Amino acid sequence: MISAQYGQEFTKSEYGKIKKVYSIWVCVNPSEEYKNTITQYSIRERQLAGHASADVRDYDLLSVVMICLGTEGDGNSDGLLRFLEVLLSEQRSAEEKGDFRE
């Protein structure tokens, strides 16, 4: 997604024009330990040798959010998780989904 910006957001070596990319993954059938969770993964700097330090905006160009849904009717989800659980359910009709109220 970042490299896809070449020619659109920047050309040649104008890497300072790269825009941050957000990737959102919705997992409808996660393992038990991940059910009803929302987790963000991002890039961070960690010095392994030496003392150079970059500005965060120069390297923090990717953020991933993983939304792991629970089992429909398990009662452990609310808000966004519950909404997505209903919306993406294969057991509910379109009418039921349209009538859903938290």
Side-chain angles (χ1 to χ4, degrees):
M1 291 181 288
I2 292 174
S3 63
Q5 294 180 38
Y6 185 78
Q8 297 287 328
E9 300 297 332
F10 70 97
T11 57
K12 299 181 180 157
S13 59
E14 301 173 307
Y15 298 109
K17 293 184 178 180
I18 295 175
K19 295 183 178 167
K20 186 167 182 167
V21 173
Y22 295 88
S23 179
I24 301 172
W25 304 354
V26 179
C27 304
V28 295
N29 192 19
S31 61
E32 280 298 317
E33 65 186 297
Y34 288 100
K35 286 185 178 183
N36 299 311
T37 62
I38 300 175
T39 307
Q40 178 184 9
Y41 300 93
S42 57
I43 297 173
R44 67 177 178 88
E45 181 179 52
R46 188 175 83 189
Q47 299 302 323
L48 301 178
H51 301 288
S53 183
D55 192 3
V56 173
R57 71 171 187 250
D58 292 335
Y59 64 83
D60 186 22
L61 297 174
L62 174 66
S63 184
V64 176
V65 176
M66 188 179 320
I67 301 171
C68 297
L69 305 180
T71 305
E72 185 177 346
D74 69 5
N76 293 325
S77 61
D78 58 5
L80 175 64
L81 289 169
R82 180 75 179 121
F83 172 74
L84 290 173
E85 184 182 299
V86 170
L87 181 67
L88 300 174
S89 169
E90 293 181 350
Q91 286 75 38
R92 291 181 184 254
S93 68
E95 185 175 294
E96 285 179 290
K97 292 177 184 183
D99 291 340
F100 174 73
R101 301 282 187 264
E102 187 67 41

